[in-house]
Amino acid sequence: MKSIQALREQRQSLAKEARNQLANKGDRAWTKDDQVAFDARADQIEALESEITATERVMQMEIEDHNRDVEQFRTNPAARVENNKSRELFAKLLREGPQNMTREEVTEIRNTMSTGTGSQGGYTVQSDVAKQLIDALKSFGGMRGVASSITTSQGNPLSYPTSDGTSEEGEWVPENTQASSADPTFGTVGLGAFKASSKIITIPMELLQDSSIDIIAMVTKRINDRIGRTMNKGFSTGSGVGQPFGFASVAGVGKIGASGQTATVTVDDLIDLQESIDQAYQDTGTCRFMMHQQTRKGVRKLKDSSGRPIWAESYEAGIKTGTPAQLLGSDVVINNDMAQPAANAKTIGFGDFSKYMIRDVLEMLLFRFEDSIYTSKGQVGFLAWARAGGNLLDLNGIKLYQQSAA
């Protein structure tokens, strides 16, 4: 069985070959042999992606079920910060619980972290740990990779100022004539703070007792993965009720597929979607497509009027020489929390995704459970609550492709 690294390198090589084939043909006619070779590479890339995804899923299941990734949380003695007393106390709180700490240690924790519902094991996560967690969430992928973001210390309601100047223009003024007035139009968009739960994370007592394990890293990694996936879904398709406003829930429709296109999209549809965004946004160079992997599967097969594919493969993400996938000259972001092709589904977004604002709240609450449900299994439970919000600041900045109704 090939390693994930070998599979990724093989995919990268095929992607380079596909891009080079498109570049080398230039404006020359695209022959049947060209198409056969290109399709063969595309099929191989798709098969490799499926194998990589399946391998990663199996590895993740093993991690969740058996905690087989312990080695990555082994503490490097040379990298320890001995004088970071508050962090050491936080680690002790995770390992042993507040009942096994001295009065002085509990007092210091209360001073540096503040106490939530301490009788239930709830403590506000130490600020530097919370910041590390938020920083990790920012690189989670999907929406966080392209949206703007701010971090607030508290979760009170926030109105964010907005202004759209794409339709504003000056004027020609004759001599001795006063200039007209045209004040910019300002507005506000609400950025609430909604609660997201990590669900209860169980850690074997043996790992908590192992001093060579970086328990803070282990617990925050679990929190990051679970809350990160939940938040991305909210930023993508959230209703705004008890969760953020997802961009796909509030952005306007730039193109609706013709009758019969409940699961397909055409080249002309994608061009119309691109052109639904004002050129002022496109001139910034930040506009891009966003879609689910299953939508991409169909889009990758589309051809222009000369029979050439309109999709340029990406080099494998994470490799320094990598390049993003491109569609009609614009970068593509894969977001598997977007809708898959179906009647009336809004499956493709295009525009400047920096116009979507994510708001993170620095304050996080962590609970530690030691009741019989867990101790009978030799485990300790942890539950994290984090708050975040999101909204599209400029409705003209992103438009959607909607599948036909029937």
Side-chain angles (χ1 to χ4, degrees):
M1 181 179 177
K2 289 186 178 180
S3 68
I4 283 186
Q5 181 61 27
L7 293 171
R8 287 174 174 165
E9 290 175 354
Q10 186 177 350
R11 185 208 179 282
Q12 182 198 25
S13 177
L14 288 168
K16 284 183 177 179
E17 291 175 7
R19 279 205 178 218
N20 289 338
Q21 183 184 0
L22 285 172
N24 293 337
K25 291 302 294 183
D27 295 329
R28 289 176 291 168
W30 189 260
T31 67
K32 184 176 181 180
D33 289 341
D34 291 329
Q35 191 58 56
V36 169
F38 189 90
D39 287 345
R41 289 190 180 97
D43 289 342
Q44 286 180 277
I45 290 171
E46 188 172 335
L48 285 169
E49 287 174 345
S50 297
E51 187 173 353
I52 291 170
T53 300
T55 303
E56 289 175 337
R57 186 178 296 118
V58 170
M59 291 175 65
Q60 184 62 33
M61 290 172 61
E62 291 176 345
I63 288 171
E64 291 289 343
D65 292 343
H66 307 293
N67 290 283
R68 293 177 183 173
D69 59 342
V70 169
E71 284 304 318
Q72 67 174 298
F73 300 109
R74 293 283 176 189
T75 304
N76 178 5
R80 290 177 182 170
V81 181
E82 299 294 348
N83 61 355
N84 192 346
K85 188 173 181 180
S86 62
R87 186 177 177 86
E88 291 175 359
L89 289 176
F90 185 57
K92 186 172 183 179
L93 175 67
L94 295 180
R95 292 183 190 280
E96 303 177 22
Q99 70 277 10
N100 293 315
M101 305 180 74
T102 67
R103 179 179 300 176
E104 291 75 15
E105 288 173 334
V106 172
T107 299
E108 185 160 349
I109 283 179
R110 285 173 175 161
N111 291 337
T112 60
M113 294 185 280
S114 82
T115 306
T117 50
S119 62
Q120 298 177 37
Y123 287 82
T124 302
V125 174
Q126 183 183 356
S127 59
D128 69 326
V129 176
K131 187 178 185 304
Q132 289 174 23
L133 177 58
I134 290 175
D135 288 343
L137 288 175
K138 288 179 180 177
S139 61
F140 192 81
M143 286 298 293
R144 285 189 180 272
V146 292
S148 300
S149 64
I150 58 172
T151 301
T152 60
S153 59
Q154 301 294 326
N156 53 296
L158 176 66
S159 293
Y160 200 88
T162 64
S163 180
D164 179 10
T166 55
S167 62
E168 297 176 2
E169 59 182 25
E171 63 179 349
W172 295 106
V173 181
E175 291 185 17
N176 303 317
T177 303
Q178 184 175 342
S180 303
S181 175
D183 294 331
T185 301
F186 293 93
T188 60
V189 168
L191 285 176
F194 305 97
K195 288 198 307 182
S197 156
S198 66
K199 296 185 178 180
I200 295 176
I201 301 164
T202 56
I203 304 292
M205 290 179 177
E206 292 84 353
L207 294 185
L208 293 177
Q209 294 167 357
D210 188 341
S211 61
S212 67
I213 298 294
D214 186 344
I215 192 62
I216 296 179
M218 174 171 281
V219 173
T220 55
K221 172 66 166 60
R222 292 288 189 273
I223 294 171
N224 173 50
D225 288 351
R226 296 183 182 187
I227 292 182
R229 295 185 184 108
T230 299
M231 287 186 175
N232 189 71
K233 185 178 294 184
F235 302 146
S236 304
T237 60
S239 65
V241 179
Q243 56 189 276
F245 282 101
F247 85 91
S249 301
V250 295
V253 174
K255 177 66 177 181
I256 299 177
S259 179
Q261 290 181 211
T262 58
T264 59
V265 60
T266 67
V267 175
D268 287 347
D269 290 333
L270 295 173
I271 293 173
D272 288 343
L273 178 59
Q274 277 186 315
E275 295 303 323
S276 69
I277 296 294
D278 191 285
Q279 189 62 38
Y281 294 98
Q282 302 200 42
D283 285 342
T284 64
T286 56
C287 286
R288 64 197 75 211
F289 287 97
M290 183 178 285
M291 65 189 73
H292 191 283
Q293 183 178 352
Q294 289 303 311
T295 305
R296 177 186 65 177
K297 188 174 182 179
V299 170
R300 286 167 85 172
K301 301 174 183 178
L302 296 177
K303 315 294 191 300
D304 64 16
S305 57
S306 299
R308 287 173 298 195
I310 62 172
W311 178 278
E313 288 290 349
S314 66
Y315 298 170
E316 180 63 31
I319 296 178
K320 291 183 179 179
T321 56
T323 58
Q326 288 200 324
L327 176 61
L328 294 173
S330 297
D331 292 351
V332 182
V333 176
I334 299 303
N335 180 352
N336 281 344
D337 286 313
M338 287 193 67
Q340 298 185 44
N344 287 321
K346 298 173 181 177
T347 54
I348 303 174
F350 179 78
D352 183 357
F353 283 84
S354 69
K355 301 300 181 183
Y356 186 90
M357 179 63 72
I358 294 173
R359 179 225 184 153
D360 289 299
V361 179
L362 184 60
E363 185 180 69
M364 293 185 180
L365 195 63
L366 180 68
F367 286 80
R368 187 181 192 276
F369 302 106
E370 295 185 56
D371 55 47
S372 60
I373 296 177
Y374 302 100
T375 55
S376 63
K377 299 178 182 177
Q379 300 171 332
V380 173
F382 296 96
L383 172 64
W385 294 95
R387 290 191 291 171
N391 210 335
L392 182 57
L393 303 183
D394 186 347
L395 295 179
N396 294 316
I398 303 175
K399 298 293 182 181
L400 301 165
Y401 171 71
Q402 182 173 334
Q403 310 285 161
S404 64

